[in-house]
Amino acid sequence: MAKIKPRAKIPKEAELDEIIEIKTLIRHPMHSGRVKDADGKTIPRHIINKFAAKFNGKLVFSMNLEPSISSNPYVSFPFKVYESGVFELEWTEDGGEIYKLSKSVKVS
């Protein structure tokens, strides 16, 4: 499998109380466990099953992902910026593998 690399688009700067959009994408095949390979064997379930976003250590958004989510899941959500800080984004895969990404935003 190709190396799994999460990405996020978060403004580097924002005004106090501005609502910004957090956009995330992770390249992942999201095998549902219902598809067969060329030999007719079922490909085992292998998905990203949780996504969480923290801002300055506080959870601000989370969701569970199910097998019906398409490959390369894209997650977007609004956030009202009240101070400068760091977003910590975390994707959890079946089996416990965790992919992390951090991005900063400065409030002016």
Side-chain angles (χ1 to χ4, degrees):
M1 180 187 312
K3 182 173 170 35
I4 294 173
K5 183 178 179 188
R7 299 185 321 190
K9 188 172 183 181
I10 299 172
K12 292 181 180 176
E13 294 185 8
E15 298 291 324
L16 180 65
D17 290 333
E18 180 180 351
I19 297 175
I20 61 174
E21 186 175 10
I22 311 303
K23 300 176 183 179
T24 72
L25 176 73
I26 188 165
R27 292 202 169 280
H28 193 279
M30 299 293 283
H31 294 302
S32 67
R34 295 187 287 264
V35 176
K36 298 190 184 298
D37 65 13
D39 297 327
K41 296 179 183 171
T42 302
I43 299 171
R45 176 183 147 137
H46 184 232
I47 68 168
I48 299 289
N49 56 45
K50 293 179 189 166
F51 172 76
K54 294 180 182 177
F55 183 70
N56 289 341
K58 292 173 65 176
L59 184 66
V60 296
F61 181 86
S62 68
M63 66 183 289
N64 292 328
L65 289 88
E66 301 294 333
S68 60
I69 300 288
S70 67
S71 55
N72 307 323
Y74 170 80
V75 176
S76 175
F77 62 95
F79 182 77
K80 187 174 184 177
V81 182
Y82 53 90
E83 65 183 346
S84 296
V86 177
F87 282 96
E88 299 165 19
L89 309 172
E90 189 173 283
W91 295 259
T92 305
E93 185 180 70
D94 287 345
E97 185 75 30
I98 297 174
Y99 305 97
K100 295 181 180 186
L101 181 64
S102 294
K103 294 268 186 161
S104 297
V105 63
K106 181 180 176 186
V107 171
S108 54

